[in-house]
Amino acid sequence: MAGHLDKSLPLEYQEEQSRLNILGFWIFLGAEIALFSTLFVTYLTYHMRTAGGPTAEELFVVKDFMIETLLLLFSSFTMGIAIFKMRNNDLKGLLVWFVITLVLGGGFLFYEIREFYMYAVHEGATMQTSAFLSGFFTLLGTHGLHVTVGVFWAISIIIQLVRRGLTPVTARKVFIIGLYWHFLDVVWIFIFTLVYLNGLVG
Amino acid sequence: MKLDEFFVTGEPMIYAADAAIAMTVIGIVFVLTYFKKWKWLWTEWLTTVDHKRLGVMYILSAVLMLFRGGIDGIMMRMQLAFPGMNILDEHHYNGVFTAHGVIMILFMAMPFIIGLMNVIVPLQIGARDVAYPFLNAISFWTFFMGAMLFNLSFVIGGAPDAGWTSYFPLAGKEFSEGIGNNFYAVSLQIAGAGTLMTGINFFVTILKMRAPGMTMMKMPMFTWSIFITSIIIIFAFPVLTVALALMTLDRVFGTAFFTMANGGLPMMWANLFWIWGHPEVYIVILPVFGVFSEVISTHSRKNLFGYKAMVVSMVGIAFLSYLVWVHHFFTMGNSPSVNSFFSITTMLIAVPTGVKIFNWLFTMYKGRIKFTTAMLWSLAFIPNFVIGGVTGVMLAMASADYQYHNSYFLIAHFHYVLISGTVFGCFAGLYFWYPKIFGHTLNEKLGKISFWIFVVGFNVCFFPQFFLGLDGMTRRMQTYADNLGWNGLNLVSTIGAFLMGLGFFVLVVNLLYSAWKNKRDTANDPWDGRTLEWWTKSPVQAYNFAVIPHVKEMDAFWHMKKRNETEIKAEDLKPIHLPSNSGVPFISGIFWFIGGFGLVFEWMPMAILGLAGIFACMLARSFDYDPGFYVKVDEIKKVEGITGGDK
């Protein structure tokens, strides 16, 4: 019922149901924090338990994970610009920056899958090799799976934006996936620190 | 996989179960077809997003699971009635006690509570619905499909048999080769996802959808208990999700988390499981504390004594529930300082719990108590729960626990806590709110008969087990020797189990008899209730409240009645918005089942098909812009029986 808009609120907060959905999504992210915390603790418990297999120091390549990090951090930045464009009621700008975000996200996934492939095929370091690698692939795989879901989710929202334009409902959907995307970025910062940097220090 | 590996064979009882399942399915299909009820089933139930109907389906499933879990319990007690019995062989016995634990906790206690909260919480806070009705339906169907998948394991593929805790390395591929424990990992995962969504849903509902004027400190105690429970769910269930995912990876994909080789740590499973598992105990106990608070206050015709202390105690219990998990493995080689820490935190829980017990007692003090069945269940709870609590403190002493650990003393303790808490509370809630749900009370005479048989049976069954435990009988024993001095107590315990079964049978008779005979409650408020749910019609209209009440004080409805403000005026009526029904949650549930089945049997194409179906359902939902519909004022007037007013 978007009869008239309340000028004091952004588009995505216009409807009662939208406000509830956004709050609910924040709570969901709280549960996601619990999920990723558990995975981080699991990883840290196991990260020295290499059982004679390759160690973190032997596997990690600084250039590769730096590229992944930059791609994902920049995608979070462009997502921010996309939301900014949305707040200015600029549908075209929103779509452009949304697509750029997805390209960067896709690039991140490409490099991550390439990294997994190098470990598994070239180094013989699969998730079955040792508890360390089980923890590594599970933690990063869960994050990568989240990014993958985010990409498909975003594509479905782009289709809806093109079809319906910027309405209180589509704006809410964009805003929520924005929260999701930034959250994945935050998780990555912990992966960067606790997995990669920590792994290189040994 | 060959067909004779697919179907479980070799036991006459399994064939009987096969036959019973086939007969039930044929019977249901026949009845639905004969009475032309398929369309009714689809439009009224399978596609509903109404929180009251979802609640009814939860409770119905829970009662069925109580039957199933109860039969498991009786089978175990029959096997243990005399030394050297041969009703269940070792393997079957392991499957039965695993199923009993999993079903009673996750597929009986949880859904019973979630059912009660689904029906009652939005009514208590004066809301038209929960925050996310569609998600609520998804939650129900994931729970239901998870439960069905788990139950199927008995006749197809093989039952999990590593206990409800499924400790590694026993539960790993090396020692449990078949697919039984895959059922455990996957079906709990599916049901757990639904529970997490319920937690988020009710957290937001209670936080944001309260009627105007109802501040947090004016909320009914049951709603408070659900609010706290939702927070525990939100932080505990992700841990279970991870633990079960790692278990699945270990079992199906050969990773090394909990293995003995390649650097795995079996103790990691115990830690993860109980970091979820201990808060889980409070997830099933706090809501019934809420139920007892409502029942005792209503039946004493007094407001709840020490409301604030009740709230603070619940918050305290919720906080402490995360700090005690190691007491489940005091004997597994922790250092003395670790054991001491968890010993003390565990004992601390007795403090807020004790506060609550005294609050209930003081609520009754000088009250004009009505002894209905609901009140009897609440009264029986107090002494029995205290026995459970005191023995809990005995178990919390780490050094003494070396004696009790994994003995029947422990079994008796947690049955005293969980049955006199959760089960009595579910029954109290059922008798109390049944008229709200179905429009007629349950028969009080049958209710009291069932109550006495069950409570006496419960004590006859579990009290002797304290002594069996102290005499050295350990849990999960399939049989015992004749000369250990355990014969008499075991026989008494088994007789008690049968009495409980009889009590349950009378309850079911009561449900059927009352549906047929009991007087339809026209007053809507049979117990002279205090909270807003009693303002609505019984059974409750789809839109809950014709007008949203303005709350001024705690026990809002009680005060409204005193001031004669309960009448609904025609000029206050406005059209009411309701969400449309949707088939997507049910269909998505079926895909969860398909995907889960594929993963259990390690048939990856089927698992992927299920996953694709789940995502397709999500997309369908995302592209669905159905705005719902409006109930017109004329229709509300008709339903409410209001005349006059020109609007």
Side-chain angles (χ1 to χ4, degrees), chain B residues 27-47:
Chain B
I28 291 170
V29 170
F30 175 78
V31 168
L32 286 171
T33 312
Y34 186 80
F35 293 101
K36 298 194 174 68
K37 287 286 187 191
W38 284 102
K39 190 157 180 282
W40 166 83
L41 182 72
W42 177 258
T43 54
E44 299 286 312
W45 294 96
L46 299 186
T47 62

Side-chain angles (χ1 to χ4, degrees), chain B residues 196-447:
Chain B
L196 177 64
M197 295 304 143
T198 299
I200 295 173
N201 209 339
F202 277 81
F203 179 85
V204 177
T205 303
I206 296 170
L207 202 61
K208 284 287 167 189
M209 296 183 70
R210 279 169 286 131
M214 185 182 279
T215 58
M216 292 298 273
M217 292 314 271
K218 285 177 189 145
M219 279 186 340
M221 193 48 68
F222 179 63
T223 300
W224 252 116
S225 71
I226 298 301
F227 186 67
I228 306 282
T229 305
S230 301
I231 296 173
I232 307 181
I233 288 177
I234 291 166
F235 289 107
F237 267 76
V239 183
L240 178 70
T241 304
V242 171
L244 291 173
L246 303 187
M247 177 188 240
T248 312
L249 285 170
D250 262 15
R251 289 191 55 88
V252 179
F253 299 97
T255 54
F257 287 107
F258 309 127
T259 54
M260 301 294 274
N262 292 342
L265 290 167
M267 274 310 289
M268 189 68 182
W269 166 263
N271 277 293
L272 290 179
F273 181 84
W274 285 113
I275 289 171
W276 160 77
H278 201 84
E280 165 69 12
V281 177
Y282 295 94
I283 292 170
V284 298
I285 205 78
L286 286 180
V288 301
F289 285 177
V291 174
F292 292 130
S293 300
E294 301 291 345
V295 172
I296 288 175
S297 152
T298 304
H299 286 77
S300 310
R301 299 174 205 221
K302 281 176 65 193
N303 59 350
L304 193 65
F305 181 88
Y307 178 92
K308 277 183 191 157
M310 283 290 215
V311 173
V312 173
S313 322
M314 277 197 294
V315 175
I317 292 173
F319 175 73
L320 287 172
S321 73
Y322 284 93
L323 300 180
V324 303
W325 81 91
V326 172
H327 73 215
H328 294 272
F329 37 91
F330 276 152
T331 63
M332 296 195 203
N334 309 302
S335 69
S337 50
V338 169
N339 272 358
S340 307
F341 174 83
F342 286 96
S343 185
I344 290 164
T345 50
T346 302
M347 289 183 205
L348 276 179
I349 287 202
V351 177
T353 314
V355 169
K356 294 175 78 69
I357 298 276
F358 280 106
N359 280 333
W360 289 312
L361 294 176
F362 284 127
T363 303
M364 284 185 275
Y365 179 68
K366 284 192 174 170
R368 282 169 295 149
I369 299 174
K370 287 175 290 182
F371 292 96
T372 68
T373 311
M375 187 62 175
L376 288 180
W377 284 113
S378 311
L379 292 174
F381 151 77
I382 293 175
N384 286 306
F385 191 80
V386 168
I387 294 176
V390 168
T391 50
V393 176
M394 290 168 72
L395 282 157
M397 293 183 278
S399 45
D401 188 58
Y402 275 80
Q403 178 64 29
Y404 315 133
H405 187 80
N406 271 355
S407 75
Y408 263 78
F409 187 87
L410 166 82
I411 303 287
H413 153 70
F414 73 69
H415 282 91
Y416 262 88
V417 175
L418 284 171
I419 292 181
S420 73
T422 305
V423 178
F424 287 14
C426 288
F427 288 164
L430 187 68
Y431 277 91
F432 186 60
W433 282 311
Y434 199 85
K436 195 63 354 202
I437 304 173
F438 291 105
H440 62 86
T441 50
L442 288 171
N443 187 286
E444 280 291 315
K445 198 173 211 171
L446 283 170

Side-chain angles (χ1 to χ4, degrees), chain A residues 1 16-17 20-25 27-28 30-32 34-36 38-39 41-42 45-46 49-51 127-132 134-135 138 149 152-153 156-157 159-160 163-164 167 169-170 173, chain B residues 130-133 196-197 199-200 203-205 207-209 234-236 238-239 241-243 246 249-250 253-258 261-266 268-269 272 615 619 621-625 630:
Chain A
M1 297 298 283
E16 176 63 22
Q17 190 62 47
L20 288 177
N21 284 13
I22 291 168
L23 174 67
F25 197 77
I27 310 298
F28 172 71
E32 287 275 77
L35 182 116
F36 276 104
T38 313
L39 285 172
V41 168
T42 308
T45 308
Y46 289 121
R49 303 181 70 88
T50 51
M127 71 193 300
Q128 286 81 16
T129 308
S130 67
F132 154 63
S134 300
T138 305
V149 169
F152 284 106
W153 182 8
S156 97
I157 292 176
I159 296 169
Q160 293 173 48
R163 276 198 198 163
R164 292 168 183 275
T167 69
V169 175
T170 50
K173 293 188 180 199
Chain B
V130 295
Y132 318 114
L196 177 64
M197 295 304 143
I200 295 173
F203 179 85
V204 177
T205 303
L207 202 61
K208 284 287 167 189
M209 296 183 70
I234 291 166
F235 289 107
V239 183
T241 304
V242 171
L246 303 187
L249 285 170
D250 262 15
F253 299 97
T255 54
F257 287 107
F258 309 127
N262 292 342
L265 290 167
M268 189 68 182
W269 166 263
L272 290 179
F615 281 117
L619 276 181
R621 170 60 179 170
S622 183
F623 280 88
D624 176 14
Y625 278 72
Y630 279 85

Side-chain angles (χ1 to χ4, degrees), chain B residues 94 97-103 105-106 150 160-167 184 188 240 247 269 273-274 276-278 280-281 328 414 418 475-476:
Chain B
N94 292 348
F97 72 64
T98 304
H100 176 73
V102 173
I103 286 176
I105 295 279
L106 285 141
F150 186 85
D161 54 3
W164 93 280
T165 51
S166 279
Y167 277 159
Y184 174 95
L188 264 58
L240 178 70
M247 177 188 240
W269 166 263
F273 181 84
W274 285 113
W276 160 77
H278 201 84
E280 165 69 12
V281 177
H328 294 272
F414 73 69
L418 284 171
R475 74 198 291 196
R476 295 171 184 155

Side-chain angles (χ1 to χ4, degrees), chain B residues 506-570:
Chain B
V506 179
L507 172 78
V508 174
V509 169
N510 192 2
L511 295 177
L512 299 175
Y513 176 84
S514 304
W516 174 47
K517 270 274 163 121
N518 243 35
K519 175 165 103 233
R520 293 305 177 255
D521 168 49
T522 46
N524 301 329
D525 180 18
W527 321 115
D528 199 5
R530 312 178 68 83
T531 42
L532 284 173
E533 73 267 28
W534 302 108
W535 190 30
T536 57
K537 286 209 176 317
S538 302
V540 190
Q541 316 85 319
Y543 50 78
N544 290 0
F545 294 93
V547 290
I548 296 292
H550 281 259
V551 176
K552 296 191 190 76
E553 55 276 281
M554 223 175 71
D555 293 334
F557 183 54
W558 178 261
H559 293 282
M560 282 164 73
K561 279 192 286 192
K562 275 191 168 171
R563 289 195 297 261
N564 281 323
E565 285 175 0
T566 56
E567 207 180 319
I568 296 163
K569 297 192 192 78

